[in-house]
Amino acid sequence: MTTRSTFEPNAPTPGAAASWRERLWPRGGSGSGENLRLLALIILAYIVIVTFQSPDFLSLASLFDLIRTGSALTIVALGVLVVMVTGGIDVSFLANAILSAWIATALSNALGIDSLAFALTVAIGIGTFVGLVNGLIIYLFSLPTLITTLAMQGVLQGVLMVFLGARPITAGFMPSSLRDFGTSVLFEIPAGPGFTGLSVFAIPLVIVIALTWYLLNRTPIGRASYALGSNPLGAVRSGVEVLKINLVVYGYAGALAGLTGLMMVSEIRLVNPVSLVGNELIVLAAVVIGGAKLTGGTGSVGGVVLGMALITLLSNTLVTLGLSASWNRFFIGAAMVAIAAISHYRAKQRNLKLLNFQDV
């Protein structure tokens, strides 16, 4: 006898009657929305401080620059969010990103194909394959997700450096379509003596934000992912197919890693095998600051966007405040601790109120 899943395609979506604001912001607890509102206020306060120090900062040129520099990491952070919602964690995403980008670039050169569509297809395809392998290994061997993806990170670096003999691919040897992808703009506006434009990176960013929101909030996979992260045993007893969830979420995260890799190398015009690995903390910090928990069951697209916005602001404006860029990770770590402490305190206060109410 087969067990029927409670997460059917026709089942009503939790919070279906909620406004679009409530659906964009978090699920998994009323305190999460409060944390995100606090995060938004912190960002606004920081912008005010930077603007007082440098009045030119409050401009469309600054906004366009933040979108260009933050788009790629925001995209991969959304993939990490989908994994963390299930209670897992993936730290192989940047190794996956650079491997996918390097193979896509090298294959384009080898075949003489100067096409952005071809490079994107190869990079996303390789990233998806690596993600599927991650999800399958975790399911078959019941291994901790951190250990599995950390091992995968080492494997991918080994494949790139040893088996493929990867050397940096400089701008002169990159397909022109990739170089153009990193510098193209949708439109330009006057800015001082010159012009500034909105990067084409805004297109994949908006598409991925919408797709991730839809996946988590409007599909049975998304509802089952939140259930699996909140109560794994209860979700399995309800008929959630863990293998299916793993393949979808890790495959999706891998696809976004491949896209991110190609965006980043096209922006800096250099495919360096060691250029991305080591920045995992920045991405994980954005997801955690945005309200996701390592234990799973919570997290939102809006939270990730705000978390990465804060980190991108810090990265781009510390020099404006007279601080060295070396302070960047200090403030990121401090923000993680502060948000986690506030979240824990508010959750504790809600629990105490609930217990007092029950006692009454």
Side-chain angles (χ1 to χ4, degrees):
M1 182 179 69
T2 58
T3 303
R4 188 176 182 182
S5 172
T6 58
F7 299 94
E8 301 176 5
N10 295 326
T13 304
S19 69
W20 67 269
R21 293 181 180 85
E22 292 170 324
R23 293 195 299 267
L24 177 63
W25 299 111
R27 302 175 56 159
S30 60
S32 300
E34 296 174 0
N35 291 339
L36 290 190
R37 284 189 286 273
L38 175 62
L39 180 57
L41 289 175
I42 292 173
I43 292 174
L44 290 176
Y46 183 78
I47 291 174
V48 170
I49 293 172
V50 175
T51 302
F52 272 117
Q53 186 71 20
S54 176
D56 293 338
F57 173 75
L58 200 61
S59 65
L60 281 178
S62 297
L63 176 62
F64 290 168
D65 185 58
L66 291 173
I67 292 174
R68 178 183 60 82
T69 57
S71 292
L73 288 183
T74 301
I75 286 173
V76 78
L78 290 168
V80 174
L81 167 69
V82 173
V83 172
M84 289 183 65
V85 161
T86 66
I89 187 170
D90 184 0
V91 295
S92 67
F93 53 89
L94 289 185
N96 188 1
I98 192 60
L99 175 68
S100 301
W102 191 92
I103 293 178
T105 306
L107 192 59
S108 296
N109 288 336
L111 298 178
I113 301 176
D114 191 355
S115 168
L116 177 61
F118 175 78
L120 284 172
T121 301
V122 173
I124 293 174
I126 293 172
T128 303
F129 174 75
V130 172
L132 291 173
V133 172
N134 272 335
L136 187 61
I137 291 175
I138 291 168
Y139 175 78
L140 291 179
F141 301 102
S142 300
L143 295 174
T145 57
L146 176 61
I147 300 301
T148 303
T149 56
L150 188 61
M152 180 60 74
Q153 181 190 70
V155 169
L156 297 180
Q157 290 179 288
V159 168
L160 187 59
M161 302 301 296
V162 178
F163 293 100
L164 298 181
R167 292 191 180 95
I169 302 175
T170 57
F173 295 93
M174 291 177 63
S176 60
S177 58
L178 287 186
R179 296 197 303 270
D180 294 341
F181 181 48
T183 57
S184 298
V185 296
L186 296 175
F187 59 86
E188 289 184 326
I189 60 172
F195 292 86
T196 186
L198 177 63
S199 171
V200 294
F201 287 175
I203 294 177
L205 175 62
V206 171
I207 292 174
V208 171
I209 287 175
L211 187 60
T212 305
W213 178 87
Y214 184 83
L215 174 65
L216 289 177
N217 295 277
R218 283 292 177 266
T219 67
I221 291 290
R223 296 191 288 271
S225 297
Y226 279 107
L228 188 62
S230 299
N231 185 353
L233 183 59
V236 171
R237 288 177 176 174
S238 298
V240 170
E241 300 178 49
V242 178
L243 175 59
K244 181 179 179 181
I245 300 297
N246 275 11
L247 293 179
V248 171
V249 300
Y250 284 95
Y252 183 72
L256 297 190
L259 173 59
T260 294
L262 208 62
M263 290 174 63
M264 296 193 75
V265 300
S266 66
E267 180 185 359
I268 64 176
R269 295 190 168 195
L270 175 66
V271 188
N272 187 350
V274 297
S275 62
L276 299 183
V277 178
N279 291 315
E280 290 82 2
L281 173 64
I282 295 176
V283 177
L284 292 172
V287 181
V288 173
I289 289 173
K293 295 182 180 179
L294 297 178
T295 52
T298 62
S300 69
V301 171
V304 171
V305 172
L306 281 182
M308 187 55 69
L310 176 61
I311 289 176
T312 304
L313 277 169
L314 289 172
S315 301
N316 289 15
T317 58
L318 285 180
V319 175
T320 304
L321 297 178
L323 297 174
S324 166
S326 302
W327 283 90
N328 187 34
R329 298 211 173 197
F330 169 81
F331 284 113
I332 291 174
M336 288 181 66
V337 172
I339 294 294
I342 292 172
S343 177
H344 176 75
Y345 173 77
R346 287 182 169 172
K348 184 177 179 180
Q349 293 299 111
R350 288 195 304 272
N351 291 335
L352 287 174
K353 290 180 180 179
L354 180 62
L355 289 174
N356 289 337
F357 175 77
Q358 290 175 338
D359 289 339
V360 173

